[in-house]
Amino acid sequence: MSDMRLVVVGAGGRMGRALITAVTEMDGVVLSGAIEREGSDCLGMDAGTLAGVGENGVAVTEDALAAFAASEGVLDFTTPEASLWFSELAAQARIVHVIGTTGISAEDEERIAAAGRHCATVKSGNMSLGVNLAAQLVREAARALDEDFDIEVLEMHHKHKVDAPSGTALMLGRAAAEGRGIDLDSRSVRSRDGITGPRPKGDIGFATLRGGSVVGEHSAVFAGEGERIVISHIAQDRSIFARGAVKAALWARGRKPGLFSMADVLGLTGA
Ligand SMILES: NC(=O)C1=CN([C@@H]2O[C@H](COP(=O)(O)OP(=O)(O)OC[C@H]3O[C@@H](n4cnc5c(N)ncnc54)[C@H](OP(=O)(O)O)[C@@H]3O)[C@@H](O)[C@H]2O)C=CC1
Ligand SMILES: O=C(O)C1=N[C@H](C(=O)O)C[C@H](O)C1
């Protein structure tokens, strides 16, 4: 089979550059386009040069429509508004859409799911093997432990991150809620300040730290009387997300339309 032609959108971003690197280094894929937003300083640059992997002859453009028409898949780690737009374009072009963007509203999630009826879409708040495995462990721990164990999810990211809690923190919170058989939306505590009173039993708390160049660190804490279980993941390099995204595109190639998760790609569903 020929190499899968992949276009990277948000090519000049932290993840965009990591994705161009992964596509360059991994077997079975080739970079077919690199897209940035209108007015970006990156327009016209060579994508390989931009990512620091050497010139590759693929120019960064703003013409997503033309790039999608010449591609079999799109790797998208951008912004919620941009991902929504790209989901509509990917649906029109019937190409695989891999979405890593976080901070997407519930309403836009539904619109992306609707677009996923026309093309295979893989979407996850974290594309790494380690986090997806950690989410399974969290689900199991929450299933095994009763409400005497308080669940808190902690995360730290670099100072440039714009959404909170992180997509991964929400994934871990959702896994814990599923394991415990409760609804996350009605039981999650996103912030605490002032005289909060004692912690209500059964809530799932989130704590967010931002600073420096931290790639991504997450812990799910199960705090009981006299003991604490902590399931943690530390991302040391963005390549783990980028390689996961390429793996997802290859997995989705030739698949029927639908919305899939990274757990599907990694074969962790139902584990
Ligand atoms: N699921 C996962 O495994 C991971 C998810 N992420 C998520 O990926 C997203 C991006 O993160 P990161 O790379 O750090 O952010 P960056 O801000 O570095 O990158 C986003 C890029 O998208 C570009 N962009 C914005 N709008 C458009 C548009 N309409 N068309 C084309 N390009 C556009 C931005 O351009 P400009 O800056 O010029 O506006 C920027 O270059 C975040 O939501 C983050 O949480 C990150 C890592 C892993
Ligand atoms: O913005 C980031 O950097 C990251 N975002 C994702 C998230 O919101 O969880 C994944 C990873 O932690 C890095």
Side-chain angles (χ1 to χ4, degrees):
M1 202 187 282
S2 59
D3 287 349
M4 185 177 186
R5 296 188 308 281
L6 295 177
V7 52
V8 172
V9 293
R14 281 174 287 277
M15 277 306 300
R17 283 172 279 139
L19 289 162
I20 292 168
T21 303
V23 173
T24 307
E25 291 175 352
M26 289 174 71
D27 290 337
V29 289
V30 62
L31 190 71
S32 51
I35 300 298
E36 254 303 336
R37 63 169 180 78
E38 198 181 320
S40 165
D41 291 343
C42 301
L43 293 176
M45 281 182 73
D46 180 89
T49 306
L50 176 63
V53 291
E55 203 171 319
N56 60 13
V58 177
V60 179
T61 80
E62 57 188 315
D63 192 352
L65 209 58
F68 282 30
S71 302
E72 297 166 274
V74 50
L75 306 179
D76 173 5
F77 290 61
T78 54
T79 65
E81 306 74 46
S83 287
L84 186 58
W85 166 236
F86 291 133
S87 74
E88 285 162 15
L89 289 189
Q92 280 169 32
R94 302 284 195 270
I95 62 172
V96 169
H97 191 191
V98 177
I99 309 174
T101 308
T102 57
I104 298 176
S105 68
E107 190 186 323
D108 286 351
E109 292 277 7
E110 279 180 25
R111 294 170 71 185
I112 287 172
R117 289 201 279 272
H118 305 283
C119 62
T121 302
V122 182
K123 184 173 177 305
S124 175
N126 197 303
M127 298 278 174
S128 76
L129 169 64
V131 158
N132 283 276
L133 181 60
Q136 296 287 353
L137 298 175
V138 166
R139 188 176 288 105
E140 280 310 304
R143 190 171 286 140
L145 301 168
D146 64 19
E147 287 194 346
D148 285 342
F149 282 80
D150 299 319
I151 305 177
E152 295 280 315
V153 180
L154 274 70
E155 55 117 332
M156 181 159 189
H157 283 87
H158 53 93
K159 63 187 173 192
H160 305 288
K161 186 162 177 63
V162 295
D163 56 308
S166 69
T168 309
L170 292 170
M171 261 174 78
L172 296 177
R174 206 169 301 117
E178 281 166 16
R180 191 163 264 184
I182 59 170
D183 171 50
L184 180 64
D185 291 339
S186 58
R187 302 305 298 273
S188 76
V189 177
R190 299 288 190 91
S191 67
R192 296 185 180 103
D193 188 23
I195 311 294
T196 61
R199 186 187 199 285
K201 208 170 184 173
D203 279 356
I204 297 182
F206 289 85
T208 301
L209 284 78
R210 293 285 177 266
S213 59
V214 176
V215 174
E217 302 192 2
H218 295 87
S219 294
V221 181
F222 296 81
E225 286 301 326
E227 61 181 333
R228 208 157 73 236
I229 299 161
V230 183
I231 298 171
S232 295
H233 180 268
I234 297 175
Q236 295 173 315
D237 194 296
R238 288 187 176 82
S239 64
I240 60 170
F241 313 127
R243 297 176 76 81
V246 172
K247 201 179 263 192
L250 285 166
W251 177 88
R253 188 185 202 185
R255 232 165 249 276
K256 288 200 178 124
L259 181 59
F260 304 96
S261 71
M262 206 54 199
D264 294 317
V265 174
L266 296 169
L268 294 169
T269 323

